[in-house]
Amino acid sequence: MTRAELMGQLLAFIARLITGAQGHWRGCVPQAVQRIYFANHQSHLDWVLIWAALPSELRARTRPIAARDYWTSSPLKHWITREVFHAVYVDRQRQGDEDPLAPLQQALQGGDSLVIFPEGTRGSSGEPQAFKSGLYHLARQFPQVQLVPCWIANVQRVMPKGEVVPVPILCSVSFGVPLVLGDDEDKAAFLARAREAVVGLRPPGGD
C-alpha cells in the first residue's frame, strides 16, 4: 500500500470520527457508474465528507474539484489533494481564453466521476446560492454521465467559513434521484431544477 493510500484511509477514518460521514442513498444506490455528484457548499470539508461517505471502491474514480490557488498554497495541501484525492484543479479567475471547464471535461473524458459545487463559492446561509452554468454545460456535453444531487447536512457547523479547526458534529450526505437534462430544457430552467433537487434532500428541520 502506498503512502497516499494510507493517508486516504487515515483521512476517511478521521472524517468519519469527527462527523460520522453518514451516507443516505435516498434516490440511487452506490454503484460503479460514472457520475457527477453536485451539492450545496458551505465548508472546505464538503468534498471530503462526500468522498468519505462513498464506499471505498468508488473513491478511486471519484475526483473532487478544488480551487487551485487555495489547495496548492502549501506543499502539504498540494500533496494531499493531488496524491490522495486526485483532485481536479480549477482556477477561480479565468486565464485569458482558457475554458474553465476544460479540466473537468478532461476528467470526464477519462471516465472519472466528479464532485462539484455549482454555487461556485461557499455560502454563509443555509440556502444554496444560485447555481452557475458549469453543471448545465457538462450535462449537455456528457449526457451519459449520471447527475446525482446531494445535500450535505451540518458540515458548516463542523468548519464554518473562516475557521480552521473542525468541531465534532454528526453530519450526513443524502444522495438523490439522478437528474436528466431535457432535450429542449434551457439553462435557467435546468439550473433552477438542479438547485431544487439539492434543497429537496435537506432533512426536515435540518441544515
Side-chain angles (χ1 to χ4, degrees):
M1 184 176 292
T2 67
R3 183 174 60 169
E5 290 170 337
L6 286 171
M7 178 61 77
Q9 290 190 359
L10 176 61
L11 291 175
F13 171 78
I14 292 172
R16 289 193 294 268
L17 181 67
I18 294 175
T19 70
Q22 298 176 331
H24 302 299
W25 297 86
R26 296 171 53 182
C28 60
V29 296
Q31 59 183 160
V33 297
Q34 192 177 19
R35 288 170 165 167
I36 296 175
Y37 299 95
F38 62 96
N40 56 315
H41 191 26
Q42 295 194 345
S43 166
H44 281 311
L45 290 179
D46 289 343
W47 55 266
V48 177
L49 186 59
I50 292 180
W51 182 84
L54 292 173
S56 58
E57 62 270 19
L58 299 187
R59 293 177 194 153
R61 297 308 300 266
T62 302
R63 304 174 64 186
I65 305 306
R68 185 186 303 275
D69 60 325
Y70 180 83
W71 289 107
T72 64
S73 61
S74 74
L76 179 59
K77 286 194 293 188
H78 193 191
W79 183 83
I80 288 176
T81 52
R82 184 185 69 246
E83 300 296 332
V84 178
F85 295 104
H86 307 290
V88 178
Y89 295 115
V90 294
D91 294 308
R92 289 192 276 194
Q93 301 295 326
R94 179 174 294 191
Q95 305 294 324
D97 296 331
E98 182 181 0
D99 182 355
L101 293 180
L104 286 68
Q105 294 162 345
Q106 184 176 7
L108 291 170
Q109 289 166 355
D112 293 325
S113 295
L114 297 178
V115 176
I116 72 172
F117 302 97
E119 296 170 75
T121 186
R122 289 171 293 146
S124 58
S125 67
E127 293 296 324
Q129 303 172 74
F131 283 6
K132 297 184 182 298
S133 62
L135 180 63
Y136 170 80
H137 294 302
L138 293 176
R140 278 275 179 235
Q141 295 165 14
F142 298 91
Q144 78 282 7
V145 178
Q146 288 189 0
L147 309 173
V148 178
C150 310
W151 179 267
I152 306 173
N154 283 338
V155 72
Q156 73 277 13
R157 297 176 181 172
V158 176
M159 196 171 179
K161 191 171 183 177
E163 298 295 328
V164 295
V165 179
V167 178
I169 292 177
L170 188 64
C171 299
S172 65
V173 181
S174 295
F175 299 88
V177 177
L179 266 63
V180 176
L181 175 63
D183 291 338
D184 299 320
E185 189 171 18
D186 67 26
K187 180 172 65 177
F190 171 76
L191 293 175
R193 186 163 65 90
R195 181 183 178 279
E196 289 170 2
V198 170
V199 173
L201 293 167
R202 178 167 47 190
D207 295 327

